[in-house]
Amino acid sequence: MIGELLEARAGEEYELYARTINPRFTRVLKTIGFDRAWTRAEGQYLYDANGDRFLDLLGGFGMFNVGRNNPRVRAALVEALELETPGSVQLGVSLLPGLLAEALLTRTPDRLARVLFTSSGTEAVEAALKLGRAATGRSRVLSTVHGFHGLTLGALSANGGRHFVERFGPLLPGFSQVPFDDLDALERELRSEDVALFLLEPVQGHGVYLPPAGYLEGAQALCRRYGTLFAVDEVQTGFGRTGKLFAFEHWGLEPDLVTVAKSLSGGYVPVGALLMAQSVYEGVFDSLEHSVSHGSTFAPNDLAMAAGLATLRELDDAGLVERASRLGRLLFERTEPLVELHDVVREVRGLGLMWAMEFAEPESGSLSWRVLERMQTGLFAQLVVVPLFTRHHILSQVAGHDLPVLKGLPPLVLSEQDIDDFAAALDDVIAKAGRPARIAGMALRAARAR
Ligand code: PLP
């Protein structure tokens, strides 16, 4: 039935989406030339209606760590469907949620003892906020400047970027942000002993900022000293992305709360989870009356659980965590020389296969650069993203609305050849985009589009 529908209505996707869902989004896609008709996806590649292959460095915002349409995750899903499993009894439990919870807990520090499933990353963050408050009896929440934790109102209240937040207030009370590199600022806030949790990403996704040496360990120690829960958001960094199963392993951290989602189901089924310390569980689910204090109807559904189990197995069997570490080093080696080669490239940074390139005005000075970036920070990065896609068939993104940063979150299955191709394409595109005439042309077009 689905195949027939797709065939019968092929070619209508943009017009239909514009009519029924979001015409302004389709207009943006058309303007930048991203309005392809996609017909198929496999591993690290997308294919369009012309049969052209595109390298997917966006990875569905990081949900395809095991590759798009991973056959082993699909087989587990088909098997679960065919078994007609008795999931979601609601007043009863079945085996699959416990199996996935067990699989997650055996892969994380002993401090984490219980799992609460959710249907998305932002929901896992909401759970961390609610449970963190109840478990500590405190109301304040600290997060970091530039931090990103999702777009529902609680998670948005912890958002450290103005662009996402404005127009949606008032946000929840009791939330504030500290810089991602300042332990003194953190201690000043924690000292009042009214902060329930400190929520942060180990590597910030918005801009791909790495923590300075000692920051995360210091932050964890301060949280312990002042009775604040140390909550690490691994929604983007989890499941091998940074070259460890969880990024917090790079610093030997033992968080009280960990949020995960995105790649947990191999990108097939919405799923998320909050992993929590026993003390958090005991503080919230503290009586029979409170045994169902938080939850969501679909969260521990059998398809999500089956996909999660198959994804964890696939990460192990295919050695994808180690692969992310090795290929991340190669990606850095291949792209870092562009800092020397091009005036506009300031820095290449990242961890594992969470990669970014930051642009800056050439040291010699460029009036057209200044005009362009004054219109909207990040426009130069767009000047790179667009030809990467249209000329070189590589899908990437600007790392944040107001940042001159190009970002990649490729499926961990990409190949060495893909990395070589990307580095060569990047070199070509930056050489052309960095020409003053190009920058001036973009500035003119941006001015006209306003
Ligand atoms: N936390 C982090 C670190 C994220 O990167 C994201 C999404 O990009 C979220 C939370 C929200 O996840 P979701 O989009 O599944 O709600």
Side-chain angles (χ1 to χ4, degrees):
M1 171 243 177
I2 297 297
E4 273 169 34
L5 260 181
L6 291 178
E7 204 172 321
R9 307 286 299 268
E12 281 184 49
E13 44 275 82
Y14 287 85
E15 185 273 320
L16 185 60
Y17 199 97
R19 188 154 43 82
T20 57
I21 301 176
N22 186 348
R24 302 237 154 73
F25 179 55
T26 51
R27 200 166 133 199
V28 169
L29 293 173
K30 280 195 172 139
T31 307
I32 60 175
F34 275 41
D35 54 334
R36 301 276 157 156
W38 300 111
T39 51
R40 199 166 69 79
E42 185 182 347
Q44 66 275 41
Y45 302 120
L46 284 157
Y47 296 85
D48 73 4
N50 301 327
D52 288 338
R53 193 183 82 174
F54 287 68
L55 174 61
D56 180 13
L57 288 192
L58 184 52
F61 294 137
M63 67 194 268
F64 291 115
N65 286 10
V66 297
R68 288 174 171 271
N69 291 317
N70 182 289
R72 280 157 299 272
V73 181
R74 182 180 57 222
L77 283 168
V78 170
E79 198 184 345
L81 283 169
E82 285 175 352
L83 284 169
E84 299 184 347
T85 59
S88 303
V89 176
Q90 310 297 11
L91 290 179
V93 300
S94 52
L95 203 46
L96 283 170
L99 288 172
L100 182 56
E102 181 183 65
L104 288 166
L105 293 175
T106 54
R107 289 165 169 81
T108 45
D110 289 346
R111 188 177 187 88
L112 297 167
R114 305 269 178 213
V115 178
L116 179 130
F117 286 108
T118 68
S119 300
S120 67
T122 201
E123 256 190 73
V125 169
E126 298 291 331
L129 301 175
K130 271 184 71 180
L131 272 53
R133 279 180 163 179
T136 57
R138 300 174 175 187
S139 63
R140 286 189 63 207
V141 175
L142 278 184
S143 55
T144 61
V145 176
H146 278 306
F148 184 89
H149 303 285
L151 295 177
T152 50
L153 269 178
L156 197 62
S157 304
N159 195 303
R162 192 175 45 85
H163 170 68
F164 292 103
V165 170
E166 56 194 13
R167 302 192 298 132
F168 299 107
L171 301 176
L172 298 188
F175 284 66
S176 40
Q177 279 92 44
V178 289
F180 188 50
D181 59 358
D182 187 344
L183 288 174
D184 292 337
L186 176 63
E187 184 162 19
R188 275 197 296 281
E189 297 290 339
L190 294 181
R191 220 177 266 141
S192 48
E193 301 200 352
D194 57 356
V195 178
L197 62 145
F198 178 39
L199 173 67
L200 80 175
E201 304 149 88
V203 178
Q204 290 187 325
H206 189 72
V208 186
Y209 293 109
L210 289 144
Y215 178 71
L216 294 176
E217 302 91 315
Q220 176 177 280
L222 286 173
C223 285
R224 298 272 197 273
R225 183 179 316 156
Y226 294 107
T228 293
L229 297 169
F230 185 59
V232 174
D233 185 345
E234 292 269 0
V235 168
Q236 190 165 136
T237 49
F239 306 112
R241 168 62 50 200
T242 68
K244 300 270 187 196
L245 187 62
F246 297 104
F248 65 70
E249 295 170 25
H250 288 285
W251 298 275
L253 303 172
E254 298 207 357
D256 304 292
L257 294 165
V258 173
T259 50
V260 296
K262 291 201 192 270
S263 276
L264 173 56
S265 74
Y268 275 105
V269 188
V271 69
L274 174 68
L275 282 59
M276 68 188 103
Q278 180 72 7
S279 61
V280 177
Y281 173 81
E282 292 297 344
V284 182
F285 301 87
D286 57 354
S287 62
L288 295 186
E289 192 193 340
H290 291 161
S291 64
V292 285
S293 289
H294 188 68
S296 166
T297 306
F298 262 93
N301 74 85
D302 273 2
L303 286 185
M305 302 298 105
L309 283 162
T311 298
L312 290 177
R313 176 175 288 191
E314 178 69 355
L315 285 166
D316 288 348
D317 291 354
L320 292 180
V321 180
E322 187 280 329
R323 185 183 177 86
S325 169
R326 185 168 55 79
L327 291 187
R329 281 195 299 276
L330 185 71
L331 179 56
F332 187 80
E333 269 167 35
R334 292 286 190 274
T335 51
E336 216 268 336
L338 300 179
V339 177
E340 287 302 311
L341 285 173
H342 301 283
D343 277 356
V344 286
V345 181
R346 169 176 288 172
E347 187 185 44
V348 172
R349 57 175 178 261
L351 193 60
L353 284 172
M354 191 167 178
W355 173 95
M357 172 175 277
E358 181 156 344
F359 302 104
E361 182 182 347
E363 273 176 14
S364 50
S366 159
L367 179 62
S368 29
W369 166 282
R370 283 199 295 281
V371 172
L372 186 68
E373 289 290 305
R374 205 162 291 159
M375 277 177 183
Q376 186 187 315
T377 316
L379 268 187
F380 181 81
Q382 201 63 50
L383 208 60
V384 173
V385 166
V386 170
L388 268 181
F389 183 80
T390 50
R391 283 214 306 275
H392 294 276
H393 291 183
I394 295 173
L395 178 63
S396 61
Q397 70 170 128
V398 179
H401 179 259
D402 48 0
L403 295 173
V405 179
L406 173 73
K407 176 174 170 185
L409 291 175
L412 312 183
V413 298
L414 94 166
S415 69
E416 295 185 8
Q417 185 62 51
D418 293 326
I419 289 176
D420 287 344
D421 293 347
F422 172 55
L426 207 47
D427 187 25
D428 171 62
V429 163
I430 296 168
K432 292 184 176 121
R435 287 183 195 148
R438 272 293 162 103
I439 301 180
M442 176 80 169
L444 258 179
R445 277 199 302 284
R448 278 201 208 109
R450 296 194 138 206

